[in-house]
Amino acid sequence: MPPATDPDALAAQHAAARKRLNRAWFMFLAAGIIAMALVFGLLRGQWQAGQLKGWFLITALALFYELRIFKQALPLMHFPGEEQLADRVGSTVALSLVAGLGYGLLAGLLMVPQPAGALGWLATGLALAAVAADAWADRRNREARVMVGERYLAREFRALGALVITVVVIHYGKLPSWFIAVGFMEYLMLFTVGWLARKGEAIPSVDSRPRITFLFTYLLAVSVGVAPVIGETIALPLGVMFGLGYALVALRDWLILSGVWRRGGS
């Protein structure tokens, strides 16, 4: 059906599309509540009441943050240069939401010790599933025409995931605390883009594909390293090898983005 040209018809289409997108937001909210309830049911026998309160608070805050990001992305669910909103979220957004849900559930593990027994694999399972969904969404974003909101959602969730996974691995004693700087690299990129936009300056074009490839490799490596059967003697070299490789590529991208690289080469 061709898009309407009458202003009233356009407004009606926009309102209907926004209503359907809002339903997707509420479905993500429901999925987050159900997932929290499932994890709570699995792990309530492992932790004390105070630890459970901390887990609940951090997980709820992480999911609230993601819900806020998703809400901000809804008005951006249109293709570049167009105004008409999409009438539903696609599979690429769904993959980003799955990744975000995994990252949000991981955040709560920062407040509790690693569970015993088979549940000790929870962090590894959540991290691997989230990174896999994130990588799949990134691949689809590069192969198809992408809405503005899809890219925004993926970037924001990926930055959160990089930080959360890194801090969880540090919390489990598998990496030194200075690795938090590696986890912040994607946020550094986002903050720099936002700063340039607020100043009204042109944002340099940076090919993010090498950086994102290195990032996913790093996140997969440290996600495996956090498994109970892998000690620090294996996890630390894995983290250093892949983490420093990613950090160097990310630093290069940031230097280009901030203009330092251009000034140095001129």
Side-chain angles (χ1 to χ4, degrees), residues 33-43:
I33 294 172
I34 292 170
M36 284 185 65
L38 289 174
V39 174
F40 177 82
L42 284 172
L43 297 173

Side-chain angles (χ1 to χ4, degrees), residues 37-244:
L38 289 174
V39 174
F40 177 82
L42 284 172
L43 297 173
R44 62 180 178 178
Q46 298 251 355
W47 303 324
Q48 300 175 359
Q51 293 172 328
L52 285 170
K53 289 179 182 178
W55 168 84
F56 176 83
L57 176 62
I58 298 301
T59 306
L61 285 174
L63 291 175
F64 175 79
Y65 173 70
E66 292 182 341
L67 284 163
R68 182 173 176 271
I69 291 173
F70 191 20
K71 195 75 170 179
Q72 292 172 338
L74 294 182
L76 303 175
M77 290 299 174
H78 57 80
F79 292 108
E82 299 181 5
E83 296 183 0
Q84 181 60 45
L85 285 176
D87 60 356
R88 61 180 60 84
V89 297
S91 57
T92 304
V93 173
L95 286 168
S96 292
L97 294 177
V98 169
L101 185 59
Y103 296 144
L105 293 174
L106 272 170
L109 300 181
L110 297 172
M111 301 301 295
V112 292
Q114 189 167 12
L119 292 175
W121 290 83
L122 179 64
T124 297
L126 285 173
L128 289 176
V131 173
D134 204 349
W136 193 358
D138 180 72
R139 180 178 178 181
R140 292 179 65 92
N141 276 334
R142 297 187 187 281
E143 292 178 346
R145 191 180 179 211
V146 180
M147 291 184 288
V148 177
E150 288 178 323
R151 290 197 184 278
Y152 173 80
L153 190 69
R155 287 194 303 264
E156 293 285 341
F157 279 11
R158 188 172 304 128
L160 176 65
L163 179 60
V164 166
I165 290 177
T166 299
V167 177
V168 167
V169 180
I170 293 172
H171 172 63
Y172 281 7
K174 303 294 182 72
L175 289 177
S177 57
W178 60 263
F179 251 82
I180 195 170
V182 178
F184 264 115
M185 292 303 294
E186 288 302 302
Y187 271 119
L188 179 62
M189 301 293 292
L190 293 181
F191 292 155
T192 303
V193 169
W195 177 66
L196 291 173
R198 285 191 297 272
K199 291 178 64 180
E201 296 186 8
I203 299 174
S205 177
V206 179
D207 184 3
S208 64
R209 287 175 294 182
R211 185 183 84 252
I212 299 305
T213 300
F214 272 86
L215 173 61
F216 285 141
T217 304
Y218 158 68
L219 292 179
L220 288 172
V222 296
S223 297
V224 171
V226 83
V229 296
I230 296 181
E232 184 182 358
T233 55
I234 297 176
L236 181 57
L238 278 175
V240 170
M241 180 171 59
F242 292 107
L244 291 183

